[in-house]
Amino acid sequence: MSHDSTAAPESTVRKLSGRRRKEIVAVLLFSGGPIFESSIPLSVFGIDRQDAGVPRYRLLVCAGEDGPLRTTGGLELTAPQGLEAISRAGTVVVPAWRSITSPPPEEALDALRRAHEEGARIVGLCTGAFVLAAAGLLDSRPATTHWMYAPTLAKRYPSVHVDPRELFVDDGDVLTSAGTAAGIDLCLHIVRTDHGNEAAGALARRLVVPPRRSGGQERYLDRSLPEEIGADPLAEVVAWALEHLHEQFDVETLAARAYMSRRTFDRRFRSLTGSAPLQWLITQRVLQAQRLLETSDYSVDEVAGRCGFRSPVALRGHFRRQLGSSPAAYRAAYRARRPQSERPVDPDPGGAGAPRPPAPAEPAALSPESSVPFQTRRTAAPVPAAAGVPGQRGAS
């Protein structure tokens, strides 16, 4: 289910109806769509690269509504096909949707539902996931989208298992990707699924991109509050947590500040952000550690203390799980890319005048339930338990 996993079990994929062809890819465009995401499937599936060893697809560019279609930058497009052309496609791609707050045209949603019922593979790039969700195609399925919009997707469509950490999610006949360049990752994955590693590698060389990118969206996540939490009473608690990451506190502390039981707090936090509060807190601590490794000369032990981890062991475990690297290796790679003169001045991680934390305590032993849950990965291996992380009890 993660960015480099295999497709879902065959039983979840419908047989392609007789009038549809596997090699035909329909790209569904709407007015107001971003030009970059729209161009990705057109470039991947619409250019003949057989001379480079890439099998050819047949591309149908379809208007999802009446034209002309205006894209970012004021460009106007005229799609050569309409919604009726989708009936021939074995794969239908929705590159992006113009606004996460407005509903897609019902005619387009009906066309997507029919295509899925007839066995077509449905793909949503970036905010295209909102169109798939509006059509009901993501119900009870894992999915991803741009990290900035993931909380909104999770709140608006609570039956969708949103994972903002993945570059893309392949659930067999329905696939979604994170923002912008992650659409290239997913399109390469589709070529790899259809025609193998060699074809995908040849295409990647032509596009001058890596055939596979390691890791996920975690390294790009922002500390800012989720889009729709700002007016909620929990916003004050979330803001407090972000300002006090250098202190050791757990989810029970946050629940108490919100005057809620732990269970009620977990439920309210999930409904607003699409994430369990413990996972969110760990992610914010890792992001803070990432910044300190980039901007300071603190040792890894000091970074762990300044980010609220009980021990360097806890930091290393969570850092590797989220960013695919040890803290020391991450700092070395970052500094190798940036000259000494360009390194920023060390910030005060806890705000002006924040006290220096005490020496890290010995790691505490925790139960197996304390492992960070990857809730949307149906086939993922269990994550090993980590020791010494504040609040690591009852994460689900």
Side-chain angles (χ1 to χ4, degrees), residues 75-133:
L75 299 176
E76 287 192 357
L77 303 178
T78 301
Q81 307 284 345
L83 286 171
E84 70 284 349
I86 292 178
S87 62
R88 292 182 277 151
T91 299
V92 182
V93 183
V94 183
W97 176 236
R98 60 175 166 259
S99 171
I100 63 172
T101 60
S102 61
E106 192 59 39
E107 296 82 358
L109 299 181
D110 286 339
L112 289 171
R113 294 184 191 108
R114 283 195 300 272
H116 182 251
E117 284 293 327
E118 295 176 359
R121 177 172 50 191
I122 312 298
V123 181
L125 307 182
C126 192
T127 54
F130 282 81
V131 180
L132 273 58

Side-chain angles (χ1 to χ4, degrees), residues 295-379:
T295 61
S296 78
D297 290 321
Y298 294 131
S299 69
V300 172
D301 288 18
E302 288 178 307
V303 168
R306 286 175 174 265
C307 296
F309 288 102
R310 293 186 189 274
S311 74
V313 173
L315 167 61
R316 290 186 179 96
H318 288 295
F319 198 95
R320 184 175 292 278
R321 263 193 294 278
Q322 292 199 27
L323 297 176
S325 170
S326 70
Y330 178 86
R331 170 179 272 169
Y334 178 83
R335 293 191 172 180
R337 295 192 302 267
R338 302 195 64 182
Q340 178 75 29
S341 60
E342 294 182 9
R343 293 179 202 164
V345 178
D346 175 33
D348 186 349
R356 186 179 181 92
E362 290 297 317
L366 295 173
S367 64
E369 293 94 300
S370 64
S371 59
V372 178
F374 279 57
Q375 295 147 328
T376 66
R377 300 185 189 176
R378 295 177 182 171
T379 59

Side-chain angles (χ1 to χ4, degrees), residues 124-386:
L125 307 182
C126 192
T127 54
F130 282 81
V131 180
L132 273 58
L137 301 183
L138 297 181
D139 290 351
S140 300
R141 288 179 179 264
T144 193
T145 187
H146 192 293
W147 59 262
M148 187 167 62
Y149 303 120
T152 304
L153 181 65
K155 181 179 180 181
R156 188 166 301 157
Y157 302 100
S159 65
V160 181
H161 305 309
V162 181
D163 189 344
R165 293 166 292 182
E166 299 293 356
L167 289 176
F168 64 81
V169 172
D170 179 347
D171 198 40
D173 55 354
V174 178
L175 303 87
T176 51
S177 82
T180 315
I184 300 175
D185 296 301
L186 179 50
C187 288
L188 284 172
H189 171 76
I190 290 172
V191 174
R192 186 181 302 111
T193 300
D194 291 347
H195 302 291
N197 287 326
E198 188 172 343
L203 176 57
R205 287 191 293 274
R206 275 294 185 93
L207 298 175
V208 198
V209 297
R212 294 175 187 261
R213 281 199 292 165
S214 61
Q217 293 193 80
E218 300 96 336
R219 68 195 71 183
Y220 308 109
L221 295 176
D222 193 359
R223 283 186 66 174
S224 57
L225 298 182
E227 181 180 351
E228 296 188 3
I229 199 175
D232 191 273
L234 284 187
E236 184 178 344
V237 176
V238 172
W240 181 90
L242 291 173
E243 292 171 1
H244 293 79
L245 289 175
H246 59 285
E247 300 176 9
Q248 290 186 10
F249 60 87
D250 55 20
V251 177
E252 280 79 6
T253 301
L254 300 181
R257 293 188 67 87
Y259 301 100
M260 297 179 184
S261 68
R262 170 64 187 269
R263 178 174 296 181
T264 300
F265 182 79
D266 280 8
R267 184 172 64 251
R268 291 278 295 122
F269 196 94
R270 283 177 183 270
S271 70
L272 284 169
T273 69
S275 173
L278 176 59
Q279 180 59 57
W280 177 86
L281 181 58
I282 291 172
T283 297
Q284 298 306 318
R285 294 194 189 283
V286 170
L287 289 172
Q288 178 76 331
Q290 186 180 1
R291 294 185 189 92
L292 289 181
L293 291 167
E294 294 173 355
T295 61
S296 78
D297 290 321
Y298 294 131
S299 69
V300 172
D301 288 18
E302 288 178 307
V303 168
R306 286 175 174 265
C307 296
F309 288 102
R310 293 186 189 274
S311 74
V313 173
L315 167 61
R316 290 186 179 96
H318 288 295
F319 198 95
R320 184 175 292 278
R321 263 193 294 278
Q322 292 199 27
L323 297 176
S325 170
S326 70
Y330 178 86
R331 170 179 272 169
Y334 178 83
R335 293 191 172 180
R337 295 192 302 267
R338 302 195 64 182
Q340 178 75 29
S341 60
E342 294 182 9
R343 293 179 202 164
V345 178
D346 175 33
D348 186 349
R356 186 179 181 92
E362 290 297 317
L366 295 173
S367 64
E369 293 94 300
S370 64
S371 59
V372 178
F374 279 57
Q375 295 147 328
T376 66
R377 300 185 189 176
R378 295 177 182 171
T379 59
V383 180

Side-chain angles (χ1 to χ4, degrees), residues 34-47:
I35 191 65
F36 186 91
E37 284 84 348
S38 300
S39 68
I40 289 171
L42 303 183
S43 178
V44 170
F45 302 112
I47 299 177

